[in-house]
Amino acid sequence: MYARIFGCLLVLFGVRSSVCSLPCDYIDSLNITDGERLPNGDIRHNGVIYNKTYYREIDYEYEDFATKKYVPKYLRGCLCAVRICVRLCCGEHEYLGMRCTKTDDYLPITVNLSVTETADLRELPQFGFLYGKPCEQVYELVPEERPEDEWNLVRNGSLIIAGVHVIPRNKYCLAPRLNASYTSGLVCFMSNEEFKYNLYPVGKYQASHKGCVIPHN
């Protein structure tokens, strides 16, 4: 009874409450509204099946994973609950040039999984992809110029730099390149002294002595 009265008061004073909360962190989920609804209520999206435990109909989004805004209801699934998550800096059919650019070409996500193993993550069904930078500023690792930037992906979705520094999935993103045999690794700027780098504004871009940085959209 009291909950109903409280809800009515919220409506009366123009305060909106969400339809339902996700069973995971928003940053670990993606829009699956265009997925195929199966007879048992599960949803298949990009080859990944979400049962009712791992998706919700919600009415909000977060801009830059920080500012909440209300939108028409849609379905959102917790990808990281059913797959090993890897975040791509650009969209599903985009590569990184001077900025994220659409293409109809196949874009392999070729990474080192160990010193001796290289694989295209798109061909490994245990991996799933999230899209968009996880933070405002990211810098590119350039192992061909700086040996300490050498990185590989481990099978829990984390990135390891120089065999020492472990970067969790929401602190980096990967970017395929057009007509290239490699995938770029880009990492969020850290507060840790070991990961501090000088920033130099170049027009509308941000640059560092590490490598190129994705411009603000």
Side-chain angles (χ1 to χ4, degrees):
M1 175 180 176
Y2 292 109
R4 184 177 300 175
I5 293 173
F6 181 68
C8 292
L9 289 173
L10 290 177
V11 173
L12 178 64
F13 288 101
V15 179
R16 183 175 176 180
S17 60
S18 295
V19 175
C20 192
S21 295
L22 285 168
C24 62
D25 291 336
Y26 183 89
I27 197 171
D28 291 333
S29 66
L30 74 170
N31 189 330
I32 61 170
T33 303
D34 60 349
E36 174 191 3
R37 189 179 287 273
L38 303 178
N40 63 355
D42 293 353
I43 294 177
R44 181 189 290 120
H45 181 266
N46 285 349
V48 178
I49 294 178
Y50 300 81
N51 64 37
K52 294 179 181 179
T53 302
Y54 298 121
Y55 74 84
R56 295 288 188 274
E57 182 180 67
I58 63 173
D59 62 351
Y60 60 90
E61 292 178 340
Y62 282 93
E63 293 181 349
D64 299 322
F65 305 112
T67 304
K68 187 175 185 178
K69 67 175 184 178
Y70 288 101
V71 298
K73 296 177 186 177
Y74 70 103
L75 295 174
R76 197 165 186 94
C78 296
L79 178 66
C80 301
V82 294
R83 288 290 188 275
I84 300 170
C85 280
V86 173
R87 181 170 290 279
L88 302 183
C89 306
C90 299
E92 185 174 358
H93 301 291
E94 294 181 337
Y95 67 92
L96 179 61
M98 288 298 294
R99 61 183 66 251
C100 294
T101 305
K102 289 186 178 297
T103 180
D104 292 328
D105 293 347
Y106 176 77
L107 297 170
I109 310 297
T110 305
V111 301
N112 293 327
L113 295 176
S114 68
V115 176
T116 59
E117 183 183 6
T118 299
D120 177 2
L121 298 184
R122 295 193 191 277
E123 297 180 352
L124 301 179
Q126 64 267 39
F127 288 95
F129 300 106
L130 299 168
Y131 302 97
K133 294 183 300 177
C135 47
E136 185 176 1
Q137 296 175 338
V138 290
Y139 67 88
E140 182 179 5
L141 299 169
V142 283
E144 64 276 11
E145 297 178 12
R146 297 171 58 88
E148 61 268 33
D149 277 2
E150 193 68 43
W151 62 272
N152 66 278
L153 189 77
V154 293
R155 292 188 179 274
N156 67 359
S158 297
L159 202 72
I160 294 185
I161 302 174
V164 177
H165 306 294
V166 179
I167 311 298
R169 65 172 178 257
N170 288 326
K171 294 297 182 181
Y172 79 89
C173 58
L174 302 181
R177 301 287 189 167
L178 187 65
N179 300 322
S181 60
Y182 68 95
T183 297
S184 292
L186 297 99
V187 181
C188 295
F189 283 95
M190 306 292 186
S191 59
N192 188 305
E193 288 294 327
E194 195 165 10
F195 283 92
K196 281 186 178 177
Y197 298 92
N198 293 323
L199 288 175
Y200 303 93
V202 182
K204 63 184 292 187
Y205 298 90
Q206 294 286 339
S208 78
H209 72 266
K210 287 287 292 179
C212 73
V213 177
I214 294 182
H216 299 296
N217 293 326

